[in-house]
């Protein structure tokens, strides 16, 4: 249990924050019951419950679970040994729907993320269904001189994507007190030549240079197979000819709208010539690359991303993690990343 001390002068700290911090000290450090705290603070038990919830949600209190029985868990250890990836496995019952599974993984990921975010960092964020869900649960953590950089464009024939992407990035920026750098380009150009010309513009080069200096990258894996469709597959970004092309080329998923095959290769995929996400060689330069995944339907996409060496840290639901370490069809286990 950790408490975040507020360094502001007492008179500048909001009253709710002071009350929440006091209630948290009494509850977590002095073992008082909520009834006893309510009596001491001259308020109701329900008010104390709300103050404790506020203390957790606002980052005043951080709760860590340290199990002496299974730390790290067998699955996490097996993922580490086989893929050289640190995994956080989120307990979710097998009968949960993909919608509930996504929300529970996103909530856990949002609470874990603070341990990776710090001052003086360049943090790349992709957009998508998983990142959107995660952004709703971010726990505030004060940083300085940190920037949030959009990894791929979000415009298409229906929308500029600016409102969608800016809201997502704003939540990350607000949570960590960071500057936000938007990437106002389409998700896919119509012509590869247009992209090449645009990439020569100084305003675009500035964003590409920021992406090349990432300390942390945060993303999900896109999948055309999931019950909760990845945004790129259901937001009007792809046309029938695109789907046919991806199918012919054996594509199993994407990271930041850059597509790849089961073996992690992305070369020769025509749509990537028009995509605005970072080349995988650029993405792999980031020392920490956090991937958030929920649902077994994304297993082929996850395996491809692991084969591509895109992930250093994985936050994943228990069922998908279990399937990842089980033998693949045909009796072979997934290969260890070389």
């Amino acid at each position: 249990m950790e408490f975040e001390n507020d360094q502001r002068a007492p008179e500048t700290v909001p009253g709710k924050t002071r009350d929440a911090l006091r209630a948290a000290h009494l509850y977590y450090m002095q073992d008082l019951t909520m009834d006893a705290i309510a009596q001491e603070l001259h308020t109701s038990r329900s008010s104390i419950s709300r103050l404790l919830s506020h203390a957790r949600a606002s980052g005043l209190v951080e709760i860590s679970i340290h199990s002496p029985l299974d730390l790290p868990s067998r699955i996490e250890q097996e993922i580490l040994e086989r893929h050289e990836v640190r995994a956080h496995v989120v307990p979710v019952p097998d009968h949960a729907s993909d919608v509930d599974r996504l929300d529970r993984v996103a909530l856990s990921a949002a609470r874990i993320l603070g341990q990776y975010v710090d001052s003086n960092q360049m943090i790349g964020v992709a957009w998508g269904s998983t990142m959107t869900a995660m952004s709703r649960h971010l726990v505030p953590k004060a940083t300085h001189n940190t920037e949030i950089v959009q990894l791929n464009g979000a415009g298409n024939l229906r929308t500029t994507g600016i409102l969608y992407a800016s809201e997502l990035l704003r939540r990350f920026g607000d949570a960590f007190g960071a500057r936000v750098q938007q990437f106002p380009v389409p998700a896919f150009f119509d012509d590869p030549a247009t992209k090449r010309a645009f990439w020569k513009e100084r305003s675009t080069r500035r964003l590409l240079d920021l992406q090349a200096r990432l300390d942390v990258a945060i993303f999900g894996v896109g999948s055309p197979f999931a019950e909760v469709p990845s945004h790129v597959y259901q937001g009007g970004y792809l046309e029938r000819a695109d789907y046919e092309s991806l199918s012919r080329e054996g594509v199993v998923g994407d990271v930041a709208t850059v597509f790849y095959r089961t073996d992690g290769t992305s070369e020769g995929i025509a749509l990537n010539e028009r995509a605005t996400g970072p080349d995988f060689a650029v993405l792999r330069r980031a020392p920490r690359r956090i991937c958030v995944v929920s649902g077994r339907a994304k297993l082929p996409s996850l395996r491809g991303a692991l084969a591509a060496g895109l992930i250093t840290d994985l936050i994943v639901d228990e069922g998908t993690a279990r399937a990842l370490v089980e033998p693949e069809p045909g009796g072979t286990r997934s290969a260890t990343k070389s």
Side-chain angles (χ1 to χ4, degrees):
M1 179 69 56
E2 297 181 2
F3 286 87
E4 185 72 26
N5 290 323
D6 200 312
Q7 301 300 319
R8 291 173 290 179
E11 63 271 13
T12 68
V13 177
K16 185 175 183 180
T17 298
R18 289 198 303 270
D19 292 344
L21 188 58
R22 181 173 179 81
H25 269 289
L26 294 172
Y27 186 75
Y28 293 110
M29 305 301 289
Q30 299 183 30
D31 290 335
L32 268 65
T33 66
M34 281 194 275
D35 287 330
I37 298 170
Q39 184 174 357
E40 182 168 326
L41 299 185
H42 307 290
T43 187
S44 66
R45 188 181 190 280
S46 60
S47 295
I48 298 302
S49 178
R50 287 192 294 271
L51 286 172
L52 293 174
S53 295
H54 175 69
R56 292 191 297 270
S58 62
L60 292 172
V61 172
E62 294 181 358
I63 298 175
S64 300
I65 299 174
H66 302 283
S67 170
L69 304 176
D70 194 19
L71 184 63
S73 75
R74 180 190 63 80
I75 298 176
E76 291 171 346
Q77 186 63 35
E78 192 161 354
I79 292 172
L80 177 62
E81 292 173 355
R82 190 174 306 166
H83 299 286
E84 300 177 21
V85 166
R86 291 173 290 276
H88 299 267
V89 176
V90 180
V92 182
D94 288 339
H95 60 76
S97 70
D98 273 13
V99 174
D100 184 44
R101 188 180 305 274
L102 171 60
D103 195 56
R104 291 174 66 162
V105 170
L107 175 60
S108 295
R111 292 179 173 174
I112 291 169
L113 185 61
Q115 65 186 266
Y116 300 124
V117 173
D118 211 336
S119 297
N120 304 308
Q121 286 184 334
M122 196 72 67
I123 301 172
V125 177
W127 52 260
S129 303
T130 301
M131 292 297 99
T132 299
M134 182 178 169
S135 71
R136 298 190 184 105
H137 302 293
L138 292 170
V139 178
K141 177 181 180 179
T143 68
H144 66 273
N145 196 36
T146 290
E147 297 191 61
I148 305 294
V149 183
Q150 183 178 339
L151 286 182
N152 50 321
N156 62 21
L157 291 176
R158 300 179 184 176
T159 174
T160 63
I162 292 175
L163 289 178
Y164 166 71
S166 63
E167 176 63 16
L168 169 63
L169 295 167
R170 182 193 62 77
R171 291 172 184 162
F172 276 87
D174 288 351
F176 302 118
R179 294 187 298 275
V180 170
Q181 300 283 354
Q182 295 190 43
F183 196 23
V185 295
F188 302 98
F189 286 99
D190 288 337
D191 190 319
T194 307
K195 173 185 171 181
R196 289 193 296 270
F198 207 88
W199 259 220
K200 294 178 182 178
E201 291 291 324
R202 287 180 297 171
S203 60
T204 306
R205 290 264 14 127
R206 184 182 70 85
L207 269 298
L208 297 177
D209 290 344
L210 293 179
Q211 292 178 0
R213 292 161 38 207
L214 293 179
D215 298 291
V216 180
I218 309 166
F219 53 87
V221 291
S223 170
F225 316 112
E227 180 181 322
V228 181
S230 301
H231 196 74
V232 70
Y233 298 100
Q234 54 91 35
Y237 290 89
L238 301 177
E239 300 178 357
R240 177 176 293 182
D242 297 325
Y243 283 107
E244 292 172 352
S245 174
L246 294 174
S247 179
R248 287 194 306 270
E249 292 161 340
V251 166
V252 296
D254 76 279
V255 166
T257 59
V258 176
F259 299 91
Y260 53 84
R261 306 177 185 89
T262 302
D263 62 0
T265 58
S266 56
E267 296 77 10
I269 296 174
L271 198 52
N272 286 346
E273 298 300 314
R274 301 191 282 115
T276 55
D279 183 90
F280 288 166
V282 173
L283 190 60
R284 282 190 287 260
R285 292 177 196 163
R288 191 173 294 279
R289 305 180 296 277
I290 303 167
C291 182
V292 184
V293 179
S294 73
R296 291 196 183 202
K298 289 196 172 181
L299 191 57
S301 305
L302 174 56
R303 284 186 170 135
L306 287 167
L310 301 180
I311 303 170
T312 63
D313 296 82
L314 174 65
I315 303 172
V316 62
D317 66 277
E318 186 175 7
T320 304
R322 202 164 50 238
L324 179 63
V325 299
E326 288 173 352
E328 294 184 48
T332 60
R333 289 182 178 270
S334 57
T336 304
K337 180 175 73 67
S338 58

